[in-house]
């Protein structure tokens, strides 16, 4: 069997041509690189990690009317057509189905090490400087306000509430981004998350003091 990774890379690039900039090919490329970095510290199947990272947002449900089955379907068809081993296919699909933040309370049983790695990589790309940029881009894409002091963050939301939330982009930091550091699966991911987390705290501190005209 031909090495599937370069083939998958070209397929994903093609599929994501018109994606929102926070979920485009460059997001995938960053998550792919981060996954490889984290994977170096663990005994895991590299092919599953790389394919999972490359395919994880191939058809993100939030851009497809909430349809969570489309991405795994596209990936399964692609991998089958390219003669991937059925065992590899099922491990990659497991990553795709279980990676999402909004489904975090629904994952049953133990997470595979490959899922843990790709999920950490995806979460690292959601925080730090890149995370801030992606979040404001997505907020603008949704036409959400940057910040409204009267609207308070809603932290313990059900999946349904989280999805239909029409909050402010600043609240998204409290509803998701600042929670990610403590949700990291791997020790390596945890340590990589720290500096990114501190950078967001510094950003928010400055945001509020500039908002008040204090500096
Ligand atoms: P997942 O795809 O892991 O379920 P999300 O759908 O929550 O995660 O979001 C992925 C990224 O999209 C976030 O890290 C953030 O940058 C952006 N995003 C999602 N929802 C919002 C929102 N309400 N406001 C601003 N950015 C958002
Ligand atoms: Ni992603």
């Amino acid at each position: 069997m031909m090495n599937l990774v370069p083939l998958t890379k070209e397929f994903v690039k093609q599929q994501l041509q018109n994606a929102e900039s926070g979920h485009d090919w460059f997001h995938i490329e960053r998550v792919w690189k981060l996954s490889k970095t984290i994977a170096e510290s663990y005994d895991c199947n590299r092919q599953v990690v790389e394919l999972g990272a490359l395919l994880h947002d191939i058809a993100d449900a939030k851009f497809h009317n909430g349809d969570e089955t489309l991405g795994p379907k596209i990936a399964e068809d692609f991998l089958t057509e390219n003669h991937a081993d059925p065992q590899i296919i099922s491990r990659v699909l497991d990553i795709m189905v279980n990676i999402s933040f909004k489904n975090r309370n629904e994952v049953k049983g133990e997470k595979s090490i490959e899922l843990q790695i790709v999920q950490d990589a995806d979460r690292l790309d959601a925080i730090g400087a890149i995370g801030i940029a992606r979040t404001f881009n997505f907020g603008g894409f949704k036409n959400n306000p940057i910040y409204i002091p009267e609207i308070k963050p809603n932290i313990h939301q059900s999946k349904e509430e989280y999805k239909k939330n029409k909050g402010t982009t600043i609240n998204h930091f409290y509803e998701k981004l600042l929670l990610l550091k403590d949700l990291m699966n791997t020790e390596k991911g945890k340590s990589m998350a720290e500096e990114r987390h501190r950078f967001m705290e510094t950003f928010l501190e400055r945001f509020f003091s500039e908002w008040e005209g204090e500096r």
Side-chain angles (χ1 to χ4, degrees), residues 23 60 62 100-102 122 126 131 134-135 138-139 144 162 169 172 176-177:
H23 292 85
D60 190 320
K62 59 183 155 316
S100 177
F101 177 77
K102 62 184 174 314
D122 196 30
R134 292 180 69 210
T135 299
F138 188 86
N144 290 343
Y162 177 79
T169 301
H172 194 66
K176 175 179 178 187
L177 307 186

Side-chain angles (χ1 to χ4, degrees), residues 178-191:
L178 293 169
L179 310 180
L180 292 177
K181 171 176 74 71
D182 294 328
L183 293 173
M184 301 301 283
N185 302 300
T186 66
E187 285 307 314
K188 175 92 181 169
K190 235 172 251 172
S191 80

Side-chain angles (χ1 to χ4, degrees), residues 32 81 105 117:
W32 183 33
E81 274 164 30
N105 300 324
I117 290 169

Side-chain angles (χ1 to χ4, degrees), residues 27 56-57 122:
H27 162 63
H56 84 275
D57 275 334
D122 196 30

Side-chain angles (χ1 to χ4, degrees), residues 1-155:
M1 180 181 50
M2 223 184 102
N3 188 356
L4 267 175
V5 169
L7 216 60
T8 306
K9 176 186 170 186
E10 290 315 312
F11 174 69
V12 172
K13 251 184 171 166
Q14 177 66 257
Q15 287 281 319
L16 292 178
Q17 266 174 24
N18 301 313
E20 175 266 322
S21 169
H23 292 85
D24 61 2
W25 163 251
F26 296 114
H27 162 63
I28 304 306
E29 193 176 39
R30 290 189 303 267
V31 171
W32 183 33
K33 288 180 183 163
L34 283 164
S35 297
K36 288 192 277 189
T37 303
I38 300 171
E40 281 168 17
S41 304
Y42 299 92
D43 183 8
C44 61
N45 184 316
R46 298 297 162 89
Q47 195 185 28
V48 171
V49 168
E50 292 194 42
L51 294 176
L54 287 168
L55 289 164
H56 84 275
D57 275 334
I58 190 78
D60 190 320
K62 59 183 155 316
F63 304 112
H64 294 90
N65 297 317
D67 183 353
E68 292 178 18
T69 63
L70 190 61
K73 176 88 184 74
I74 293 173
E76 185 172 14
D77 290 349
F78 169 78
L79 293 170
T80 307
E81 274 164 30
N82 289 287
H83 316 291
D85 180 336
Q87 285 235 11
I88 299 277
I89 300 182
S90 95
R91 292 168 72 178
V92 171
L93 295 185
D94 174 73
I95 294 176
M96 297 181 69
V97 171
N98 293 307
I99 192 170
S100 177
F101 177 77
K102 62 184 174 314
N103 294 339
R104 69 192 174 289
N105 300 324
E106 292 170 11
V107 179
K108 346 142 240 342
E110 292 255 304
K111 293 182 195 170
S112 70
I113 182 66
E114 293 82 8
L115 168 60
Q116 295 185 41
I117 290 169
V118 180
Q119 190 170 52
D120 279 2
D122 196 30
R123 287 173 171 172
L124 285 169
D125 203 56
I127 62 179
I130 297 271
I132 294 171
R134 292 180 69 210
T135 299
F136 283 100
N137 195 69
F138 188 86
F141 178 81
K142 286 280 178 190
N143 206 16
N144 290 343
I146 292 173
Y147 178 54
I148 299 179
E150 292 72 34
I151 304 182
K152 298 298 168 212
N154 181 0
I155 296 172

